[in-house]
Amino acid sequence: MDLGLAGRQAIVCASSKGLGLACAEELAANGVNLIMNARSADVLGASADRLRDTYGVKVTAVATDITSEDGRKEVLAAADGTIDILINNAGGPPPGDFRNWSMDDWNKAVNDNMLTPIELIKAVIDPMIDQGFGRVVNITSGSVKNPIPQLGMSNGARAGLTGFVAGLARQVAKHNVTINNLLPGQFDTDRIASLFASRATAEGRDAADLRAEAEARNPCGRIGYIKEFGQACAYLCSAHSGYVVGQNLLIDGGAFNSSH
Ligand code: NAP
C-alpha cells in the first residue's frame, strides 16, 4: 500500500537506535524527509547516514537532548518549512522502589516523558491545522494499559501524557491532524536488555534466563521485532489514517489480555 507520504517532513525524536530508529526507517522507506535526533552524535550520525544512503531521502541529524528547552529549539529549527509528522520519544525512567525516588527524579520523569512531548506538540500543531494535515505519534509504553510495578515513574508520567493527548486529539481531528500513542510491550532494543539486566541483578538471576521466560510467556513466543513497531508507526502517519484519533495502540504480542 502506498502510504501517501512521499515528500513529507518528519521530526523523529530519540531516533539513533531502538524504536525511534525503527519509526524513522519506515518513514524514510515511504519517502519522508527526516530530522533525526539523539544525544550521542556518532551513533546518530551513523544511523542518519544509513537511512539517507538507503532510501535517498533528506536526513538532518540534530545531536541534542530533546528533554531540554534548548534541545527542542535546535530540533525545531532544523525543519525546512512546516513539519508534517512528529514522533515523540525519549529514554524511559529507571526502574526502582518509589521510596528511593526524590522530587528531582519525579520531575525528570514528568519532564522527559510528559512535558517534552507536550511542548513539541504545542510547537507544531497550529501550522499542521493551517495546512490541513498533521500526524503526531507518541511512543509511550504498554505500562499505560498494564502498569509495571517496578517502573512506577514511567507508569505515572506516561499516564499524564495519555490523559492530555486524549483531549487534544479530539480538538484537532477535524483538521486532519491526528494524535495517537503507540504502546510497546517488549521489543528487542538496548532498553529492554538493560531492564532484564537490572532485574537479573536485583533477583540474583541470569538475564538470558529472564528473557527466555518472558519469551515463553508471550502468546507469540517471542520478543517483538522493532520493524513491526516502525511499520505500525508509518501507518499511523499515513494519508489513510485520518479517522484513527486519540488511540492507544498496544503492540505486545497479546501479552496484555483484555476484552476491551
Ligand atoms: P533504546 O534502544 O535505549 O533507544 C533510545 C533512543 O533514544 C536512543 O537513540 C537514545 O540515544 C535516544 N535518547 C534517549 N534519551 C534521549 C534524550 N534525552 N534526547 C534525545 N535522544 C534520547 O530505547 P527503546 O527501547 O527504543 O525505547 C524507546 C522508548 O520506548 C523509551 O521511552 C522506553 O521506555 C519505551 N519503551 C520501550 C520498550 C521496549 O521493549 N523496548 C517497552 C516499553 C516502553 P542517546 O542515548 O544517544 O541520546
Side-chain angles (χ1 to χ4, degrees):
M1 178 167 69
D2 177 359
L3 296 185
L5 285 176
R8 294 280 186 195
Q9 174 174 231
I11 290 178
V12 188
C13 302
S15 55
S16 66
K17 56 185 185 169
L19 300 175
L21 176 58
C23 294
E25 177 143 15
E26 291 307 316
L27 291 174
N30 284 281
V32 175
N33 298 315
L34 299 174
I35 296 154
M36 294 174 68
N37 153 257
R39 292 163 302 181
S40 308
D42 50 348
V43 184
L44 176 65
S47 294
D49 288 349
R50 184 175 68 76
L51 297 196
R52 192 183 298 112
D53 294 347
T54 307
Y55 301 105
V57 293
K58 185 178 168 203
V59 181
T60 307
V62 185
T64 190
D65 186 340
I66 199 66
T67 66
S68 73
E69 196 178 338
D70 287 349
R72 288 190 290 276
K73 277 189 191 148
E74 259 185 90
V75 168
L76 290 163
D80 180 9
T82 300
I83 294 148
D84 304 299
I85 295 165
L86 168 65
I87 312 299
N88 276 315
N89 186 31
D97 183 329
F98 91 101
R99 292 169 189 81
N100 301 323
W101 294 334
S102 64
M103 282 292 283
D104 283 349
D105 294 329
W106 273 106
N107 284 332
K108 177 166 169 43
V110 169
N111 175 71
D112 295 5
N113 297 111
M114 177 183 172
L115 299 179
T116 287
I118 291 173
E119 283 293 296
L120 286 165
I121 292 170
K122 188 166 76 177
V124 302
I125 203 89
D126 288 330
M128 286 178 172
I129 288 171
D130 290 345
Q131 72 171 4
F133 179 90
R135 299 286 183 259
V136 178
V137 174
N138 303 304
I139 299 179
T140 65
S141 173
S143 68
V144 167
K145 293 205 180 200
N146 190 18
I148 301 165
Q150 61 273 23
L151 283 175
M153 280 193 289
S154 173
N155 299 338
R158 296 188 198 282
L161 176 65
T162 305
F164 168 75
V165 159
L168 181 64
R170 273 104 190 153
Q171 291 175 312
V172 300
K174 61 175 161 299
H175 303 287
N176 191 23
V177 175
T178 67
I179 313 178
N180 291 287
N181 304 314
L182 271 181
L183 282 53
Q186 291 187 319
F187 278 84
D188 208 357
T189 69
D190 289 358
R191 160 88 174 168
I192 211 71
S194 77
L195 288 175
F196 280 130
S198 103
R199 255 191 67 205
T201 307
E203 296 172 20
R205 305 263 323 271
D206 192 87
D209 290 343
L210 291 174
R211 182 186 164 118
E213 286 167 16
E215 287 176 335
R217 266 195 312 273
N218 189 284
C220 287
R222 63 177 173 85
I223 301 279
Y225 308 130
I226 60 171
K227 188 174 177 63
E228 297 170 306
F229 191 87
Q231 287 170 329
C233 179
Y235 167 70
L236 288 178
C237 296
S238 76
H240 315 302
S241 67
Y243 208 56
V244 182
V245 171
Q247 295 303 299
N248 289 289
L249 178 59
L250 178 61
I251 311 182
D252 71 345
F256 179 54
N257 189 355
S258 167
S259 58
H260 57 274

